[in-house]
Structure formats: structure tokens, C-alpha cells
Amino acid sequence: MKDVLDREELAVDMNPVISKMFNTEHEQVVFCQDKSSGLKAIIAIHNTTLGPALGGTRMWNYNNELEALNDVLRLSRGMTFKASISGLNLGGGKAVIIGDSYTQKSEALFRRFGKFVESLSGKYITAEDVGISPKDMEWVNMETTHVSGLPESLGGSGDPSPVTAYGVYMGMKAAAKEQYGSDALEGKKVTVQGVGHVGEALVKHLSKEGAIVTIADINQERVAAIAKKYGTRVIEGDAIYDGDMDIYAPCALGATLNDDTIDRLKCNIVAGAANNQLLDEKIHGRRLMEKGVVYAPDFLINAGGLINVYREVEGISEARAMELTENIYHTTTDIFKKSAKEGLTPQIAAMKIAEERIEAIAKIKSVL
Ligand code: NAD
């Protein structure tokens, strides 16, 4: 067993990703490794002021550990803002498993991961995210009770994706009201990037309302099936950023709003499900605003799934969860008002409200 770091390894301490962990004030970051099952995972707990840190586990073939760490730090911080702005008593956390979700899954890997989750004694509650299936979570659940969003047959609240999509749809309508003076999406050209669990459910709402929907996905089979089912158009590859659209709905992965894409986008609204859509929340949020694009903050409008999972933690009814999700429309409207009044981008305005709630609750907790 190797126990001494060499010079090169020590230099990693200076890596900006690692210093970011301290700058973003994460409470705890756990590196998990198990040779026999091949598990390599990172669990990041950002803030537990409001309650246990809840956030999904993502399985992704990261190029290296630092890329995975960067992702989990960004994602867990986003969960803190999401829970706070949605009025939930939850903190922010997330986990990533480093590996190929098509070839590296096994019962042993997920059960070992479950043991790591259990070792945190409920401070972190996991759920499904990109690359993870209900079956995988069943295995995790064999080793820990701190799993949410399980299938209804196992006593869980089921797939959160349709509720997430409904919240995104509400947020998109609020953005349309802000940009066009009406929240009707009929006749609006909407491009949905990523037609997975959430993307497809969003396409369904949009098609029902009479929006002109275009879809994109790297999974050719899936894109063809969804296009056939809903009669949508298809756009391929990078061309999506130059496409003719009123509304861009990123529902695949994050950071698609960046130096390259913002200049190319011709839309006047961005509203989608993907987490961390802005590569840099300050710079790219401001650039969209200067371009006259109404941006609906991702962590606010994609909170439906978290709200649905919250049913399992707090025991609220399904009806109440839907009410809270529908309310995303009004919260998004309030954020646009705050943004206009204070000259802030919607992203920063939403983050401020989320932070203020956490600070206020931290104060009352300290005197209890
Ligand atoms: P998913 O894995 O079911 O779907 C993602 C889809 O995006 C897949 O079909 C995939 O092929 C496609 N994709 C990946 N890279 C792409 C690219 N470069 N271009 C086009 N398509 C691409 O995931 P999901 O559950 O639908 O979640 C979508 C996004 O929403 C993720 O960023 C997730 O973190 C976020 N989100 C999901 C939920 C939820 O309830 N599922 C909640 C909040 C946020």
C-alpha cells in the first residue's frame, strides 16, 4: 500500500477545483473507493442548514477525478439553492459515480455505494440522476434507508421526471409572460435539447399546447422515436445553437450557455431542466440579459422533481407537491420582478433569495 505522496501528487493540492471546494463553503466531501466492485464515487454535501442534503447520484464517464469533483461540487451547491428557493426543509448534496453507465454497473458496485451513503447517517439522502436507473437504486437501498425517489411499488414517490417537466413548463410560461406579455406557448418555436425522462415529458406538454417543437438528442434511436410520437422536427449536433427558435430548453447536460453558444443563440427565452446551464453564473447570466434573452433560473424551474421526492421526507401529499410545483410559475415571475427592480440577472436574484432564507433560518436555529 502506498502511503507517501510524491511531489507531483502534492501539487494537486493547489488545483483550482480543490480550492473551489473551500471557496463554495462545502460542508463535507467524501471520496469513496472500492477495488473489488470497481466503485469510484464522490459525495458532496454543500449545506445542511435547512435539513438533510438531498440530491441524486449521477453515473458518468468523466475523463478524470478532478472533472468529477468539479461536477459534484457545482451540482451539490445548486441543490442547496433549489431546496431553499422552493421553501423545502432540505439541504444541498449530490453524488457522482465515475464510470460508464452502459458497461460498468453491477449489484456489488451499487451496494457498496449504498454502504458509503449509510455511513453518513442520513446527512445525505440520495436519489436517481443521469445514468442511474430504478434498478440501481434498489441495490443502493439494500444497504441504506437514505434513498428517495424509489418506485411506488417499493414505497417511494416514483419517477420524479414528469413533475420536473411540469415545473419547467410552468417556468417557461412565466418567462413567456415576461418576454411576450402572454404566457401562451401556442405557435412558439421551442427547441428541446435532450429528450430523456424530463425532455420527453416537456415535449408532451408543449405539443399539447400547440408549440412548434424541435428536438435534439445524441441518442439517435430515442430522438427518432420521440419525433415520431409527437410529430416534432429534429435538429442534429451543434447546429442547435444556430437554429431558428423562440425558446431554447436545455434538458441534457449543463454549461451549454457559454462564450461560444450565447452569441449564436437567436432565441429570446432560455428555460430548461438541465442543472447548471450557465457555464459561469455571473458572466453568462449577464450576457444573456444584455442580449435581451429572458433566462429562467434552472435550479428554480427544475425543482419539481425535488418537490416530489420531498413527499417521502416530509410526508406531504401528492396534491400538495403538485401545488408547490405549479407555484414555480409565481416564484419565477417574482424573480423577474426582483431582477428588473434591482438590476440583477434572474440567476443572481434567485440565488439571493435562496441565500437569504438559509441565513435567516441559520439565525433562528442558533437561538433554539
Ligand atoms: P436522462 O438521462 O433521462 O436524459 C438526458 C438526455 O439527454 C438523454 O436522452 C441523452 O441522450 C441526452 N443528451 C446527453 N448529452 C446530449 C447532448 N450533448 N445533446 C443532446 N442530447 C444529449 O436525464 P433526465 O432525467 O431527463 O434529466 C435531464 C437533465 O435535467 C439533467 O441535466 C438532469 O440533471 C436535470 N434534472 C433532472 C431532474 C429529474 O427529475 N429527472 C430533476 C432536475 C434536473
Side-chain angles (χ1 to χ4, degrees):
M1 197 184 293
K2 194 176 159 194
D3 61 356
V4 182
L5 293 177
D6 63 27
R7 204 170 254 281
E8 207 173 292
E9 284 169 322
L10 276 169
V12 169
D13 285 347
M14 306 306 290
N15 189 286
V17 180
I18 293 177
S19 36
K20 184 171 162 181
M21 185 180 112
F22 296 102
N23 294 340
T24 50
E25 297 179 356
H26 277 75
E27 285 178 17
Q28 194 175 355
V29 177
V30 184
F31 292 82
C32 316
Q33 176 160 251
D34 178 61
K35 267 199 165 176
S36 67
S37 63
L39 174 74
K40 257 191 183 180
I42 311 173
I43 301 172
I45 296 173
H46 179 248
N47 189 297
T48 56
T49 305
L50 300 175
L54 196 154
T57 297
R58 172 171 295 191
M59 185 162 186
W60 195 254
N61 217 352
Y62 294 99
N63 288 318
N64 53 56
E65 286 77 5
L66 280 176
E67 200 182 288
L69 176 63
N70 191 35
D71 205 28
V72 79
L73 293 178
R74 277 164 63 93
L75 290 165
S76 53
R77 179 169 171 265
M79 292 306 292
T80 299
F81 290 121
K82 190 183 305 201
S84 177
I85 201 149
S86 307
L88 310 179
N89 291 326
L90 290 174
K94 203 91 182 180
V96 294
I97 295 178
I98 303 167
D100 187 331
S101 64
Y102 290 98
T103 58
Q104 283 175 262
K105 284 185 177 182
S106 69
E107 177 181 351
L109 181 139
F110 286 106
R111 290 185 69 162
R112 187 69 188 92
F113 176 68
K115 276 187 177 291
F116 279 111
V117 173
E118 182 62 19
S119 73
L120 293 165
S121 311
K123 196 173 175 188
Y124 169 65
I125 303 172
T126 195
E128 261 180 63
D129 195 63
V130 175
I132 299 288
S133 73
K135 180 76 209 157
D136 306 331
M137 275 297 142
E138 268 185 53
W139 283 324
V140 175
N141 192 223
M142 285 176 187
E143 304 297 337
T144 178
T145 51
H146 306 299
V147 179
S148 58
L150 285 168
E152 279 156 309
S153 57
L154 290 172
S157 56
D159 181 7
S161 310
V163 191
T164 300
Y166 186 59
V168 171
Y169 178 55
M170 289 295 109
M172 191 184 284
K173 284 178 88 60
K177 176 89 178 157
E178 176 72 12
Q179 185 66 280
Y180 308 122
S182 159
D183 65 15
L185 297 175
E186 188 180 0
K188 295 284 181 246
K189 286 174 270 180
V190 187
T191 298
V192 180
Q193 181 184 38
V195 282
H197 291 92
V198 180
E200 180 185 355
L202 179 63
V203 168
K204 194 171 169 186
H205 288 298
L206 294 169
S207 305
K208 199 170 162 201
E209 198 182 324
I212 303 160
V213 182
T214 300
I215 60 170
D217 201 295
I218 49 169
N219 181 333
Q220 296 307 318
E221 260 175 55
R222 184 145 181 98
V223 86
I226 306 289
K228 194 171 167 207
K229 191 167 169 189
Y230 299 96
T232 69
R233 302 165 189 198
V234 173
I235 190 159
E236 280 180 22
D238 203 40
I240 188 167
Y241 303 111
D242 308 301
D244 175 27
M245 57 178 142
D246 300 310
I247 302 172
Y248 165 48
C251 296
L253 295 177
T256 60
L257 298 166
N258 53 49
D259 285 347
D260 170 44
T261 60
I262 292 178
D263 288 344
R264 294 161 63 189
L265 285 172
K266 295 179 188 77
C267 62
N268 34 44
I269 289 175
V270 177
N275 288 308
N276 301 318
Q277 292 163 27
L278 299 162
L279 178 62
D280 184 302
E281 61 205 10
K282 289 197 185 110
I283 296 170
H284 299 115
R286 177 60 61 181
R287 207 165 292 164
L288 283 172
M289 198 176 181
E290 285 164 1
K291 224 183 144 176
V293 175
V294 171
Y295 174 70
D298 48 11
F299 67 84
L300 163 61
I301 73 167
N302 73 11
L306 182 66
I307 294 169
N308 194 55
V309 156
Y310 188 60
R311 284 165 50 199
E312 294 171 37
V313 182
E314 283 284 314
I316 60 164
S317 68
E318 192 175 346
R320 178 69 185 138
M322 284 316 283
E323 239 173 61
L324 289 171
T325 304
E326 194 153 319
N327 196 48
I328 286 176
Y329 182 101
H330 300 293
T331 315
T332 310
T333 304
D334 291 345
I335 291 298
F336 292 142
K337 280 191 195 141
K338 185 178 171 71
S339 149
K341 193 172 160 210
E342 299 181 19
L344 301 168
T345 65
Q347 179 82 1
I348 300 297
M351 284 169 63
K352 263 188 108 173
I353 290 190
E355 277 166 347
E356 280 163 14
R357 178 170 174 243
I358 294 168
E359 277 162 26
I361 302 303
K363 273 189 196 143
I364 63 156
K365 281 196 170 174
S366 67
V367 293
L368 286 178

